[in-house]
Amino acid sequence: MSRPGVLRRFFGGFWAALTWLREMVSNLIFLLILVAVAMLFAGASKLDVPTKAAVHPPKAALLLEPWGDVVDQKTYVPPVELLFSGGEMQMREVLLRDMIESIEFAAVDDSITALVFKLDNMSSLGISKTQELLDAVEVFRATGKPIVAMGDYYSQDQYLFASLADDVFVHPAGGVILEGYGNYRQYYRDALEKLAVNMHVFRAGKHKSYAEPFVRDDMSENEKMVSGKWLESLWSQYTYLVEKNRDFERGALTDYVNQQDVLLEAQNGNMAKMALEAGLVDELMYRSAFNAYMIDVVGAENDDGDYERVNFERYVRHKRAERESWVEDRVVVVTAVGEIVPGEQPPGVIGGDSLAAEIRGAIQDDQVKALVLRVDSGGGSVFASEVIRQAMLDVKARGLPLVVSMGRVAASGGYYISTDADEVWATPSTLTGSIGVFAAFPTVEDLLAKLGVSTDGVGTTELAGTLRVDRPLSAKVAKMAQSSVDYIYRDFVSIVAEGQGMSYEAVDAVAQGRVWSGFDAHEVGLVDKLGTLSDAIASAAALAELDDYEVYYQQPDLSPADRFMQEIVDEFGAVALLGDWLPALAAPVRAAVKQFQVLNKDPGHMYMRCEDCQAL
């Protein structure tokens, strides 16, 4: 028998190595699941124990202690990503709805005697979600029960929410970190020139700035003007909330931020004392002192000597389980969170096909009398956005009221899928608009030439081979690309004009890729009403002429195994078997790689995406 050739032996060894690697990863995942199961059983006491005594002590505080990002929909985390995540806190997420409903339940629960904000582990909330929490907090405040915030350090995000409390405490070794809002990017033109990579950019909308980092080394003056406008709008809303909650004069918070160097020096570098002197906090308090204080406030302590408290996530799960509904009519809420891309996608990414199927599936139930689409997306693929829009039109064709509630951001493609609704709602700080289109793709013929590689051949037409990345972009293809971008933009503007009852010229004047805050978008007619998701749901019910109805939140389809893994992430966060070093090595290039990856997800390479909207 002859010995296999060199190539055959090489590829045989290569595939054997891949098989070994695949089996190793599978075994690691299996071990991870076994560890997680053990942790779940070991921590069974902190999970769902459906006894009223465990959830409703005679007296207790509701502890609002979110870990990770506060979101409208939890992101599905593939098991392999759990291995390489580095255990980053942002891998754990908390539903905004859980926070709101737990406060609403607690307001009418006599066993809950206080509300406590502990925000040290909350990585992001945002002004828009804070505005949505405000109504629930005010309902609780109206009962006369105390609301208290305690923290080691408060980030800008955390402090905005903490300022809603009656009393704000901080650790004497901590502080409050405020800096204002900014929009800064990395720019790659010089790097691309050094790499001999040619970026070809086509856009419609003079304010459509997504591609600026590929063709400039700095932010254009026009983009600074537009970004400055919505940044000022959001910062004005932030300072208004804090100044109102803390009884400051208007403008006091901005003055404080701009003078922090002087104020900190006056307190000999003590950030906690600086915050106390400025009135940002009411008292400096060590943890033991806070615990003693809260025992008096709550009127109860547990067996460990801590003030009696109930975790909001367990509390809301049990309160929902206790709630019985015999109402037949439903308002269904479908959630769209993440980048819009073609095909089927897991939660945390908006798949054109998967979201369209979810929308169409929701209205097959005869109990559903209205649909609310909750949008938190800066856009993405033009093709996928149109697939979703057609599903929205199917809802209207059935005669069901259709309402959109915009969350933190609903811009570009996120706005495109919203505009056909009967009503479009946004919070005052939603980032929206960005009505514009762009196409961008690289060619690497100069890079290959530097390496001594050339491309040549023959084709049957003038277009044959012109879409290769290793050949220069022809003038004919460039003309076609710009023509397609212009067409999609005109169609976008026309769709908005029809949906909002405006003329084409009026929409075009406020479009051009410009980003607007929800407040300003309402002023120019791009948004119908300002309010929360709860407001949008109530409006949808009114349009359907419903007095009694149940709100049903449509859940994406996940396999039993995927749901199991999601529950593990929800309870414990991501578990990294390989430590922090691997993700740390990749961190510096993630942003640039992600931006390039975005340009390869639409079949026509056409995008309605708002990069500015990712800044906050």
Side-chain angles (χ1 to χ4, degrees), residues 198-252:
N198 299 313
M199 282 298 301
H200 307 279
V201 176
F202 309 91
R203 69 178 186 178
K206 63 182 179 181
H207 302 303
K208 196 65 179 175
S209 61
Y210 179 84
E212 273 197 2
F214 301 119
V215 296
R216 294 182 61 92
D217 292 321
D218 57 4
M219 184 179 285
S220 67
E221 290 302 316
N222 180 65
E223 176 59 14
K224 287 181 179 179
M225 181 273 293
V226 172
S227 292
K229 174 73 173 176
W230 60 260
L231 284 168
E232 285 294 336
S233 178
L234 267 57
W235 180 241
S236 177
Q237 294 177 51
Y238 183 103
T239 57
Y240 172 78
L241 279 175
V242 172
E243 288 163 354
K244 178 183 177 183
N245 297 332
R246 300 300 299 171
D247 197 24
F248 291 170
E249 292 184 1
R250 201 73 179 101

Side-chain angles (χ1 to χ4, degrees), residues 574-595:
V575 180
L577 299 184
L578 301 183
D580 292 339
W581 62 271
L582 188 59
L585 289 176
V589 297
R590 283 177 180 170
V593 171
K594 183 178 179 180
Q595 214 160 2

Side-chain angles (χ1 to χ4, degrees), residues 118-375:
K118 194 172 185 304
L119 309 174
D120 296 305
N121 296 304
M122 183 181 74
S123 55
S124 72
L125 174 64
I127 183 172
S128 179
K129 292 185 177 71
T130 302
Q131 289 170 335
E132 299 214 45
L133 280 158
L134 180 59
D135 286 347
V137 173
E138 292 303 324
V139 168
F140 189 95
R141 195 191 316 277
T143 66
K145 302 176 187 180
I147 305 173
V148 180
M150 175 64 192
D152 295 339
Y153 276 90
Y154 292 105
S155 69
Q156 184 166 277
D157 222 17
Q158 294 166 354
Y159 182 73
L160 178 63
F161 187 44
S163 74
L164 303 182
D166 301 323
D167 295 295
V168 180
F169 302 116
V170 72
H171 194 283
V176 179
I177 303 170
L178 303 178
E179 60 172 328
Y181 289 141
N183 179 21
Y184 294 88
R185 302 186 194 174
Q186 292 178 326
Y187 291 80
Y188 312 116
R189 186 185 70 171
D190 191 45
L192 291 171
E193 287 181 355
K194 290 177 179 178
L195 292 170
V197 174
N198 299 313
M199 282 298 301
H200 307 279
V201 176
F202 309 91
R203 69 178 186 178
K206 63 182 179 181
H207 302 303
K208 196 65 179 175
S209 61
Y210 179 84
E212 273 197 2
F214 301 119
V215 296
R216 294 182 61 92
D217 292 321
D218 57 4
M219 184 179 285
S220 67
E221 290 302 316
N222 180 65
E223 176 59 14
K224 287 181 179 179
M225 181 273 293
V226 172
S227 292
K229 174 73 173 176
W230 60 260
L231 284 168
E232 285 294 336
S233 178
L234 267 57
W235 180 241
S236 177
Q237 294 177 51
Y238 183 103
T239 57
Y240 172 78
L241 279 175
V242 172
E243 288 163 354
K244 178 183 177 183
N245 297 332
R246 300 300 299 171
D247 197 24
F248 291 170
E249 292 184 1
R250 201 73 179 101
L253 193 65
T254 298
D255 290 341
Y256 168 82
V257 172
N258 290 333
Q259 298 174 22
Q260 282 184 96
D261 57 334
V262 176
L263 297 174
L264 187 58
E265 185 178 25
Q267 299 300 326
N268 297 314
N270 189 315
M271 292 188 66
K273 287 186 177 180
M274 178 178 70
L276 179 64
E277 184 67 23
L280 294 176
V281 300
D282 296 293
E283 192 173 338
L284 308 185
M285 196 174 283
Y286 289 102
R287 294 174 181 175
S288 58
F290 178 75
N291 184 61
Y293 170 81
M294 286 305 302
I295 290 174
D296 289 337
V297 170
V298 175
E301 64 179 300
N302 60 27
D303 294 338
D304 296 325
D306 297 326
Y307 71 92
E308 192 70 77
R309 54 192 183 261
V310 178
N311 173 273
F312 80 96
E313 288 178 293
R314 284 181 288 133
Y315 177 76
V316 77
R317 283 199 296 266
H318 283 269
K319 296 301 286 185
R320 286 174 183 156
E322 291 176 357
R323 181 174 56 191
E324 295 182 356
S325 175
W326 302 100
V327 180
E328 291 188 2
D329 294 333
R330 283 181 171 181
V331 175
V332 66
V333 179
V334 177
T335 307
V337 173
E339 184 177 335
I340 302 174
V341 298
E344 301 280 342
Q345 300 295 334
V349 181
I350 302 174
D353 293 341
S354 49
L355 180 57
E358 196 174 338
I359 292 170
R360 292 190 175 103
I363 61 175
Q364 298 306 311
D365 186 345
D366 291 337
Q367 288 183 278
V368 173
K369 306 302 181 184
L371 186 143
V372 175
L373 181 68
R374 172 67 166 189
V375 180

Side-chain angles (χ1 to χ4, degrees), residues 44-55:
S45 61
K46 72 176 279 194
L47 296 178
D48 289 317
V49 183
T51 64
K52 187 171 182 178
V55 181

